[in-house]
Amino acid sequence: MTGRAKRIGDPARMGLATCLLLGGCAGGGLPARMTAAMDAAEAPRAVDWRKVATATDRSRLRGWRTAWMAALSAVRADGKGAVIAADPALYDPDRSLPDPVPPAGTYRCRTIKLGGQGPYGLTHVAYGWFACRVSEEGAIDRLEKMTGSQRMAGSLFEDTDARSVFLGTLALGDERGGLAYGRDTQRDMAGFVERIGEKRWRLVLPYPHYESTLDLLEIVAGP
């Protein structure tokens, strides 16, 4: 459970909502992973993210702590430890409070990239603020970064009382829409959403495919 009251809908509505969120409704059919997750359901229930996530993304999520430690070590080794010390709530890998999913609404969000890939990668890059949105679609929430040159969109699945799982895809540049999840490994995104303070959340993305060892999307209340 995510800590909020669990929203229950009929199985068809849950399947349709998740199909729309994961971008797999072309032609009117559910993605294979969603069909597997939903079949044989005798009563409405939450979708198990493990049955939706690709094998690659399950592996990335299992390695979240290793990614955190490697990224923080790289930042400190680069002489930027003061950045971490200045915001312990954001950079503490064990900081997760109850009610991990932001309420539906519009937020400000910014991306922080930690532990650059390759010998010349930057170990800490903090981008400016952009617009994010959380919306409710049936039994599953949707998280979108709506502006910027790198935009993510995906579904939030129940995991524990202190975190939810994000599965989505990345859109770049002037692309008008993202690919269906699972179609392109390099565009798939997987992470955990956690609440780290009053009206403050983060999306933790271990081992992103581009530029860094760990990405954080800081999410705060506000237009």
Side-chain angles (χ1 to χ4, degrees):
M1 295 290 294
T2 61
R4 67 169 59 186
K6 183 177 178 181
R7 295 189 305 277
I8 298 295
D10 61 85
R13 183 183 178 193
M14 289 177 66
L16 177 59
T18 309
C19 172
L20 291 170
L21 293 173
L22 294 180
C25 288
L30 288 170
R33 288 187 182 84
M34 286 310 306
T35 302
M38 297 297 298
D39 64 2
E42 296 179 358
R45 54 178 169 76
V47 177
D48 185 350
W49 65 267
R50 298 167 187 83
K51 296 180 179 179
V52 179
T54 64
T56 297
D57 284 350
R58 292 196 301 272
S59 177
R60 288 199 288 178
L61 292 176
R62 284 194 299 270
W64 70 272
R65 179 172 286 279
T66 301
W68 258 112
M69 296 298 100
L72 294 180
S73 293
V75 174
R76 293 187 175 108
D78 197 25
K80 299 178 180 178
V83 175
I84 299 170
D87 197 345
L90 180 62
Y91 295 109
D92 180 1
D94 297 314
R95 177 79 172 179
S96 57
L97 303 174
D99 299 325
V101 177
T106 302
Y107 295 84
R108 292 187 300 127
C109 57
R110 63 170 182 150
T111 299
I112 300 102
K113 292 181 175 289
L114 304 174
Q117 295 182 16
Y120 305 109
L122 298 176
T123 59
H124 183 279
V125 180
Y127 291 91
W129 293 96
F130 292 95
C132 279
R133 178 174 60 200
V134 175
S135 55
E136 297 178 358
E137 303 259 353
I140 293 181
D141 294 306
R142 176 178 177 85
L143 171 63
E144 300 172 85
K145 180 176 180 288
M146 298 183 292
T147 56
S149 60
Q150 297 184 16
R151 301 172 307 282
M152 63 188 71
S155 300
L156 300 176
F157 295 84
E158 293 180 356
D159 189 36
T160 73
D161 288 337
R163 72 182 186 185
S164 60
V165 171
F166 172 87
L167 298 176
T169 58
L170 179 67
L172 300 173
D174 59 357
E175 294 175 350
R176 303 189 68 177
L179 298 172
Y181 176 76
R183 181 173 295 176
D184 184 343
T185 300
Q186 296 301 306
R187 294 296 189 94
D188 288 344
M189 306 185 77
F192 298 111
V193 174
E194 300 166 327
R195 187 170 70 86
I196 58 173
E198 184 68 23
K199 297 183 180 180
R200 191 183 188 199
W201 297 261
R202 68 185 177 196
L203 169 60
V204 182
L205 297 158
Y207 300 117
H209 294 297
Y210 304 100
E211 302 175 329
S212 51
T213 302
L214 185 97
D215 283 357
L216 299 176
L217 182 73
E218 182 182 6
I219 305 166
V220 298

